[in-house]
Amino acid sequence: MANAATGVRPLDHLKVIDVSSFLAGPFCSTQLAEFGADVIKLELPKVGDALRRFGSVTPSGDTLPWLSECRNKKSATLDLRTPDGAELLKALIKDADVLVENFQPGTLEKWNLGWDVLKEVNPRLIMVRISGYGQTGPYSGRPGFGRIGNAFGGLSYLAGFPDRPPVTPGSATIPDYMAGLYGALGVLLALQSLAKTGRGQVVDIGLYEPIFRILDELAPAYHMKGYVRQRMGPGTVNVVPHSHYPTADGRWVAIACTSDKIFERLAVAMGVPELGGTGKWGTITQREAERAQVDEYVGAWSAQYTRDEVLRLCEEHQVPCGPVYAIDEIFEDPQYAARGNIVYFNDERVGEYAVPNVVPRLTDTPGGIDRLGPALGEHNDEVYRKRLGLSEARIQALKEAGVI
């Protein structure tokens, strides 16, 4: 709900039409919906978004990802492939601010719904287009999913150990979520431009591009030195110790010494202050030269203590350190509870449902979760009768024709 003091959310009155599917596009529009945008999710009649069938199925018949990642939206059915469906989309676009899509490039154009057509319908429209490789370039027509984005973007090559094959870098859906975030950012930027120029524009994102963008100095280092970074297991280039280390109770901690000063504090915590400062591992150059030995030493130290003891020692000496959590531990952690990072939402279809809370946290006009992902076509009447003013006879005819 909106903050009681202001009664508003930042994107109140922003009208969004979402014709995307699965994850990247829907996550983009969900970010907008959480902060007040009115998002209509258009789906194929009787079939719906593929996300409804991806993941763990709930008693509602829809999956956990659908209920979580399509929250705060309205669902209406529409077959864009039909002439009537295309005309109905154009009618909705006339009064919309944003359109989100993630079809393979050329698909909407094939249905006479490309940017060149839609900008004539509404010159102020902002159109978010997320695809595997973007709208241009020799690979633009190729299909793509998050795993491909991780691989093509350069992240998968870095994940794992040097003597083993590349592994999934945590989740195959990282590119989908990041493309969705960049898509939402693109909307906010385009809205600022719209206020200055009066013109809408396209926000064009390839799934691999956000991944490539976040890989710190990977590209500059290759260009300058010809350095091709390899897999390093849990380690990190340019800093050490900066890894995951075992504890006496069979758990793991993450320790991040990103400067000589922090390592000096860790050395004191370990009871060997002579290793830092002017000692043999006092500089990053010295530690990099003996990376394996440094990591082994820190791991041997941490293995003498329980996880809580390592965390306490590091905190006392202001060394960045955190537990390597599994999801059950996240649910039990007081920091998560204090910040309200998990929302327990009651829904008549599935009962109590736990979802990650809204990010970022705005102090005056925060976002919120009003409802979980809607049932298929739940808002058809609102969209077609109330918004577009179609008659009951026309709506019935469209249903019989399979258009809605």
Side-chain angles (χ1 to χ4, degrees):
M1 297 177 63
N3 188 306
T6 62
V8 300
R9 286 183 180 163
L11 299 180
D12 283 345
H13 310 301
L14 186 75
K15 293 182 178 180
V16 179
I17 305 297
D18 181 357
V19 299
S20 64
S21 64
F22 227 90
L23 197 51
F27 187 67
C28 169
S29 62
T30 297
Q31 304 308 296
L32 305 175
E34 289 176 343
F35 288 93
D38 179 11
V39 178
I40 296 175
K41 181 78 170 66
L42 297 178
E43 309 176 68
L44 269 177
K46 299 181 180 179
V47 177
D49 192 325
L51 189 60
R52 291 182 180 273
R53 299 175 296 281
F54 176 78
S56 302
V57 179
T58 71
S60 71
D62 293 320
T63 60
L64 294 176
W66 168 264
L67 294 178
S68 177
E69 307 304 1
C70 284
R71 57 207 195 190
N72 285 18
K73 300 182 187 179
K74 300 170 183 176
S75 171
T77 53
L78 184 65
D79 190 342
L80 303 179
R81 302 169 299 182
T82 65
D84 282 339
E87 289 306 311
L88 286 170
L89 178 62
K90 292 176 188 176
L92 289 168
I93 289 298
K94 286 181 183 178
D95 191 37
D97 301 297
V98 179
L99 174 69
V100 179
E101 69 98 359
N102 62 354
F103 294 103
Q104 280 183 244
T107 301
L108 285 181
E109 283 75 9
K110 182 173 62 177
W111 301 335
N112 197 32
L113 291 170
W115 171 245
D116 59 330
V117 174
L118 296 182
K119 72 178 180 180
E120 296 301 321
V121 175
N122 181 353
R124 296 174 63 85
L125 181 69
I126 296 166
M127 186 176 185
V128 179
R129 313 197 75 171
I130 301 175
S131 57
Y133 298 90
Q135 298 296 309
T136 58
Y139 304 159
S140 61
R142 296 181 180 179
F145 276 106
R147 178 173 293 278
I148 314 306
N150 276 332
F152 193 75
L155 182 59
S156 295
Y157 185 83
L158 304 176
F161 288 86
D163 58 342
R164 303 177 203 174
V167 301
T168 300
S171 171
T173 59
I174 292 174
D176 296 285
Y177 283 103
M178 291 203 61
L181 287 172
Y182 271 97
L185 173 62
V187 168
L188 301 182
L189 296 173
L191 286 170
Q192 291 296 310
S193 295
L194 177 63
K196 298 178 176 68
T197 68
R199 297 189 304 276
Q201 60 183 301
V202 172
V203 178
D204 177 9
I205 301 170
L207 283 176
Y208 74 93
E209 291 175 318
I211 295 299
F212 181 65
R213 175 63 184 85
I214 64 166
L215 295 182
D216 53 78
E217 66 165 41
L218 188 73
Y222 172 72
H223 181 258
M224 185 175 74
K225 303 184 294 184
Y227 173 60
V228 179
R229 189 186 304 179
Q230 301 297 313
R231 292 182 286 284
M232 299 177 62
T236 306
V237 293
N238 300 325
V239 286
V240 63
H242 197 289
S243 189
H244 302 148
Y245 302 96
T247 59
D249 50 353
R251 295 176 172 177
W252 296 84
V253 294
I255 295 176
C257 291
T258 56
S259 70
D260 294 340
K261 188 66 177 178
I262 294 176
F263 178 75
E264 188 174 352
R265 295 201 292 261
L266 177 62
V268 173
M270 293 190 297
V272 284
E274 65 275 11
L275 292 180
T278 59
K280 71 171 186 174
W281 288 340
T283 67
I284 182 57
T285 302
Q286 292 170 311
R287 295 193 300 278
E288 278 272 30
E290 298 185 5
R291 172 180 287 273
Q293 296 94 313
V294 173
D295 275 333
E296 183 179 357
Y297 191 96
V298 175
W301 168 76
S302 66
Q304 302 175 67
Y305 302 95
T306 66
R307 184 174 70 183
D308 287 346
E309 289 170 337
V310 174
L311 292 171
R312 177 181 54 79
L313 284 167
C314 285
E315 183 176 358
E316 288 176 355
H317 293 84
Q318 287 296 286
V319 175
C321 179
V324 178
Y325 267 167
I327 187 60
D328 57 329
E329 296 173 299
I330 286 175
F331 268 72
E332 297 169 357
D333 189 274
Q335 176 67 19
Y336 276 81
R339 295 280 289 175
N341 297 131
I342 301 172
V343 174
Y344 296 89
F345 199 93
N346 285 304
D347 184 283
E348 62 182 13
R349 297 168 295 173
V350 295
E352 186 176 81
Y353 189 92
V355 293
N357 207 347
V358 173
V359 179
R361 184 184 303 253
L362 273 62
T363 58
D364 191 49
T365 56
I369 303 171
D370 302 318
R371 56 188 178 273
L372 300 181
L376 180 62
E378 181 179 340
H379 301 91
N380 272 10
D381 185 67
E382 176 181 338
V383 171
Y384 295 119
R385 186 172 64 83
K386 296 180 181 178
R387 183 169 293 198
L388 292 186
L390 302 185
S391 68
E392 294 295 340
R394 177 61 173 154
I395 291 174
Q396 185 59 36
L398 290 168
K399 286 181 180 178
E400 292 175 358
V403 177
I404 65 174

